[in-house]
């Protein structure tokens, strides 16, 4: 099977850009630790005083932002890894068995690290 590396690199770079933008709206990136951290909603920070209900709502919002950021960051890391695999000429190879990842799987998930047979192994 012949993989169009340029096609998949383009798809991965576009997805990385979208993910980075979405994460930037929820938190900040710490280059020293290579991690993202949620930040409070800027509109909520503008409120000088808040009653107990407002504080509870802020806490819930922050937890939601943290959860969403965590999910996006996981995907961002998968995309980053796939892009690095392209550079290392390892892209499209199953990390478990070494066989080629099926084209329809790569089209559905360009950051796939395994073939269909091993997709539940990692």
């Amino acid at each position: 099977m012949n993989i169009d590396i340029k096609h998949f690199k383009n798809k991965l770079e576009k997805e990385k850009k979208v993910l980075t933008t979405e994460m930037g709206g929820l938190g900040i990136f710490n280059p020293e630790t290579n991690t993202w951290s949620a930040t409070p909603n800027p509109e909520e920070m503008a409120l000088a005083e808040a009653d107990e209900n407002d504080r509870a709502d802020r806490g819930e919002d922050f937890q939601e932002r943290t959860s969403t950021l965590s999910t996006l960051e996981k995907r961002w890391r998968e995309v980053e890894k796939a892009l690095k695999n392209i550079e290392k000429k390892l892209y499209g190879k199953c990390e478990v068995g070494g066989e080629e990842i099926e084209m329809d799987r790569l089209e559905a998930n360009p950051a796939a690290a395994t073939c269909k047979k091993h997709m539940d192994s990692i």
Side-chain angles (χ1 to χ4, degrees):
M1 175 171 52
N2 194 9
I3 296 175
D4 183 353
I5 296 295
K6 191 174 187 178
H7 167 73
F8 288 107
K9 183 176 182 182
N10 186 34
K11 285 181 81 161
L12 289 162
E13 287 174 341
K14 284 180 182 179
E15 183 175 0
K16 180 181 174 186
K17 185 176 181 179
V18 169
L19 289 165
T20 302
T21 299
E22 288 180 21
M23 290 188 302
L26 296 170
I28 56 171
F29 181 73
N30 183 340
E32 292 178 13
T33 61
N34 199 32
T35 59
W36 287 84
S37 299
T39 55
N41 186 331
E43 293 150 8
E44 293 173 354
M45 294 301 293
L47 299 175
E49 292 185 28
D51 65 18
E52 191 173 316
N53 290 331
D54 286 337
R55 285 192 299 273
D57 288 344
R58 287 186 205 176
E60 287 176 18
D61 180 65
F62 185 73
Q63 286 178 338
E64 185 177 315
R65 292 168 74 82
T66 300
S67 176
T68 302
L69 185 59
S70 176
T71 300
L72 292 172
E73 183 175 10
K74 180 180 180 212
R75 180 62 185 174
W76 182 78
R77 291 194 184 287
E78 291 169 354
V79 169
E80 279 277 293
K81 185 176 182 181
L83 287 167
K84 286 179 182 168
N85 281 343
I86 288 173
E87 291 174 19
K88 296 177 187 176
K89 306 217 184 300
L90 298 173
Y91 183 77
K93 299 287 183 196
C94 177
E95 290 183 1
V96 175
E99 57 266 65
E100 290 185 358
I101 299 172
E102 299 85 355
M103 192 62 63
D104 61 332
R105 178 150 164 74
L106 289 174
E107 281 295 341
N109 177 9
T114 62
C115 64
K116 291 177 186 176
K117 177 181 171 185
H118 296 115
M119 64 192 287
D120 294 325
S121 299
I122 298 181

